[in-house]
Amino acid sequence: MRHDQYVLSENVELRRRKIDCCIVDRSRGRVAPLHPSEALVLSLLDGSTSIDDLTYVVGETYRISPAQARSLVDSVLDKTRSFLASSTRQELDAPRYDPKTFIFRISPEDANDCGPLDSPLALNIVLTKRCNFRCRYCYFDSCANTPEDLPGRKTLDLIEEGHDMGVVVIMLTGGEPLLYDGICEVVAAITERNMVPVISTNGSFLGSEMIEGLINAGLESIQVSLDAPCAEIHHFLTRTRNTFRTVLSGIQSLKSNGFYVRTNSVMTQNNYSHLEDLIDLLVDNNVDEIVITIQRPGSCESKIIDSSPELTEREIDYVRQKVEERMDEHDGHPRFRLNVEGEWQGQQDIIRCGNLHSSLVIHPSGNATICEMIENAPELSYGNVFESSLKEIWQGPSHQHLLDLTVDPSHIDKDCSLCENLDFCRTGCFNLSRLSEGDFFGKDPRCPGASEMRR
């Protein structure tokens, strides 16, 4: 696809916040931070303007050289490719955005700034730890029947606070979030404030009444877990009875009611060899997006009670091959995404913790932490929402202290302290580091070391 054919996808929006911008896909519940100069580039996409003309406008706007302008344009298009679509001149509507909206008094050279945003783009509210499934691979297994829920009034207060701070996406997770009393009221509170709700569910409560309530609340997309193409394997993995048909029927009902449906399937020793049949089942049911996730080690706080061994490299290669074959076969619909936590081969592979920079996790206890999988570690906690406001937590000393620790040579792995990628990486995933190294600030196990990674 040529660059001058790009336009923003139908359900994608650009938003200006107080001192930064973002791009959000309402139908998929996805958001990404943008420097104002990046938002300006995207606002100029109309499917007909040539790449040379686009580069010229950007260069003149920011008084930068043609080479710098071209580099900025290319990097923005690469960064946001999943938010873009192709179009022809005859299909185009009127321009959607005024580029002047995104002209801030901030230099485009700051587009690669690695620091945290002034306010979070997303909140992950863990509404409950209760769940009617007991999935063998889930790190919540050991606390699945914990009765504690986040009080409804506090949940609504957090939504209001998030709106005031400029939060764009609110993820509602669990446990099983559809078990939460008043879930449709919570979704409505989010959509009424022009924020985007995201729900991940096991699918067992997607009856007609629930789906109607979610429609009336304004929900447009939802993620449903389904790990197997048949009842026998599904019930073994989830340790349930008579739920397979219920989940599949829920997916069918969601699609018939116009939802964007993403499925997430966790590959373990027990189901990876059935991946082709699972994909065929999901495609036959018109799922919009298929996410395949390799079984992860779990949480360093909540151990997995009954898990099978992790997939071998050969088995992971098999999964990768089958996903790639289906991607080629279906050519863009449904979308496919494979989540594999393999060794980083180069700088482009580095995955940093987004919760450190652009989002915040709230647990049922009120603890605000860096990770959905870690609730009680003081080193990774910002405070408690029953004691402080979201703004006080995000801009407070605990958050800044954690940011400082991630680059403190006396506190982090020696190899990390010498790495040129440290300002971006901040030692990677804290949970994986704790599991592999016994230290939240140890080197991410996916990193072979800066000297071993190709540029």
Side-chain angles (χ1 to χ4, degrees):
M1 185 190 299
R2 300 195 318 270
H3 282 161
D4 58 8
Q5 291 179 306
Y6 279 130
V7 291
L8 296 176
S9 295
E10 181 181 358
N11 293 303
V12 168
E13 302 173 11
L14 297 178
R15 295 196 185 186
R16 171 175 174 165
R17 304 201 308 161
K18 292 180 181 178
I19 62 171
D20 56 53
C21 303
C22 67
I23 185 170
V24 58
D25 187 336
R26 295 191 66 90
S27 67
R28 300 173 66 195
R30 298 181 63 243
V31 64
L34 296 174
H35 184 274
S37 64
E38 296 175 322
L40 181 136
V41 170
L42 294 173
S43 73
L44 294 168
L45 297 180
D46 61 8
S48 60
T49 301
S50 71
I51 190 68
D52 290 337
D53 288 343
L54 186 59
T55 299
Y56 174 78
V57 171
V58 171
E60 288 297 302
T61 300
Y62 291 111
R63 297 292 189 267
I64 56 179
S65 71
Q68 290 173 309
R70 180 57 182 266
S71 177
L72 174 59
V73 170
D74 287 344
S75 67
V76 172
L77 296 176
D78 288 341
K79 173 181 177 179
T80 61
R81 195 177 303 275
S82 64
F83 292 90
L84 306 179
S86 61
S87 185
T88 63
R89 191 179 188 90
Q90 290 76 21
E91 296 171 336
L92 298 176
D93 297 321
R96 294 170 59 183
Y97 296 98
D98 181 352
K100 294 192 293 294
T101 302
F102 307 106
I103 297 179
F104 287 38
R105 292 185 178 180
I106 301 175
S107 167
E109 283 79 8
D110 294 332
N112 293 320
D113 179 27
C114 297
L117 300 177
D118 183 62
S119 62
L121 276 178
L123 290 182
N124 181 345
I125 303 179
V126 184
L127 296 171
T128 179
K129 289 189 176 181
R130 292 181 294 128
C131 188
N132 59 318
F133 280 18
R134 299 294 304 279
C135 298
R136 295 176 184 274
Y137 55 76
C138 182
Y139 64 90
F140 266 137
D141 180 89
S142 60
C143 55
N145 293 315
T146 301
E148 183 179 37
D149 289 358
L150 189 67
R153 183 66 259 168
K154 174 53 68 173
T155 300
L156 297 176
D157 288 345
L158 290 172
I159 292 169
E160 184 65 35
E161 287 186 69
H163 172 260
D164 292 343
M165 291 180 69
V167 167
V168 177
V169 169
I170 295 187
M171 295 169 280
L172 304 172
T173 62
E176 171 48 52
L178 298 189
L179 275 171
Y180 187 73
D181 187 35
I183 183 64
C184 292
E185 180 185 0
V186 171
V187 173
I190 296 169
T191 59
E192 288 166 1
R193 291 162 176 79
N194 196 32
M195 296 185 290
V196 180
V198 177
I199 291 181
S200 298
T201 173
N202 64 34
S204 62
F205 294 102
L206 291 170
S208 58
E209 184 175 346
M210 175 63 75
I211 290 178
E212 182 180 358
L214 294 174
I215 292 172
N216 293 335
L219 190 69
E220 298 180 32
S221 68
I222 192 166
Q223 177 169 298
V224 182
S225 295
L226 186 63
D227 303 315
C230 63
E232 181 181 3
I233 300 174
H234 169 83
H235 293 145
F236 173 80
L237 286 172
T238 60
R239 289 185 284 198
T240 61
R241 292 182 179 182
N242 303 320
T243 59
F244 176 73
R245 294 305 310 175
T246 302
V247 175
L248 194 57
S249 176
I251 291 174
Q252 294 165 347
S253 295
L254 289 168
K255 286 304 304 172
S256 66
N257 281 282
F259 279 83
Y260 183 99
V261 177
R262 177 191 302 109
T263 56
N264 183 56
S265 306
V266 178
M267 294 294 101
T268 73
Q269 291 283 352
N270 304 112
N271 65 340
Y272 83 93
S273 61
H274 300 270
L275 176 58
E276 289 181 281
D277 291 338
L278 175 60
I279 291 176
D280 289 341
L281 176 67
L282 297 173
V283 170
D284 289 344
N285 282 279
N286 299 313
V287 165
D288 298 282
E289 186 173 354
I290 298 174
V291 181
I292 305 298
T293 301
I294 303 300
Q295 178 183 345
R296 295 185 171 111
S299 168
C300 60
E301 284 195 334
S302 301
K303 300 301 182 182
I304 298 174
I305 292 176
D306 181 19
S307 63
S308 57
E310 295 180 27
L311 296 185
T312 65
E313 287 300 320
R314 176 176 293 183
E315 291 164 344
I316 292 174
D317 286 342
Y318 170 86
V319 171
R320 183 181 287 109
Q321 175 188 343
K322 296 306 176 184
V323 171
E324 291 174 352
E325 288 175 356
R326 286 300 194 268
M327 287 176 65
D328 292 339
E329 178 182 343
H330 295 288
D331 193 27
H333 189 83
R335 299 173 185 260
F336 285 85
R337 189 167 84 243
L338 175 61
N339 293 331
V340 181
E341 294 186 341
E343 183 177 279
W344 298 339
Q345 302 296 316
Q347 291 176 329
Q348 75 282 351
D349 298 326
I350 295 174
I351 301 174
R352 70 174 180 175
C353 179
N355 291 336
L356 183 63
H357 300 83
S358 59
S359 59
L360 190 61
V361 180
I362 311 298
H363 295 270
S365 63
N367 284 348
T369 76
I370 198 172
C371 185
E372 183 180 4
M373 294 189 287
I374 302 172
E375 181 177 5
N376 298 306
E379 308 97 308
L380 304 182
S381 176
Y382 301 150
N384 190 290
V385 296
F386 293 110
E387 301 169 359
S388 306
S389 69
L390 285 180
K391 185 174 182 179
E392 291 170 337
I393 288 171
W394 184 258
Q395 298 180 355
S398 294
H399 188 191
Q400 185 58 54
H401 179 62
L402 180 55
L403 289 165
D404 293 340
L405 287 181
T406 59
V407 292
D408 183 351
S410 66
H411 202 78
I412 62 178
D413 183 271
K414 181 179 180 181
D415 288 343
C416 292
S417 68
L418 301 174
C419 180
E420 63 182 8
N421 300 311
L422 178 60
D423 282 345
F424 175 82
C425 174
R426 302 282 178 144
T427 74
C429 175
F430 303 100
N431 180 62
L432 288 178
S433 295
R434 179 65 176 268
L435 285 168
S436 65
E437 304 292 330
D439 183 355
F440 286 124
F441 302 97
K443 186 172 68 175
D444 190 302
R446 296 168 293 184
C447 180
S451 62
E452 302 297 324
M453 286 196 294
R454 53 180 169 78
R455 290 180 178 274

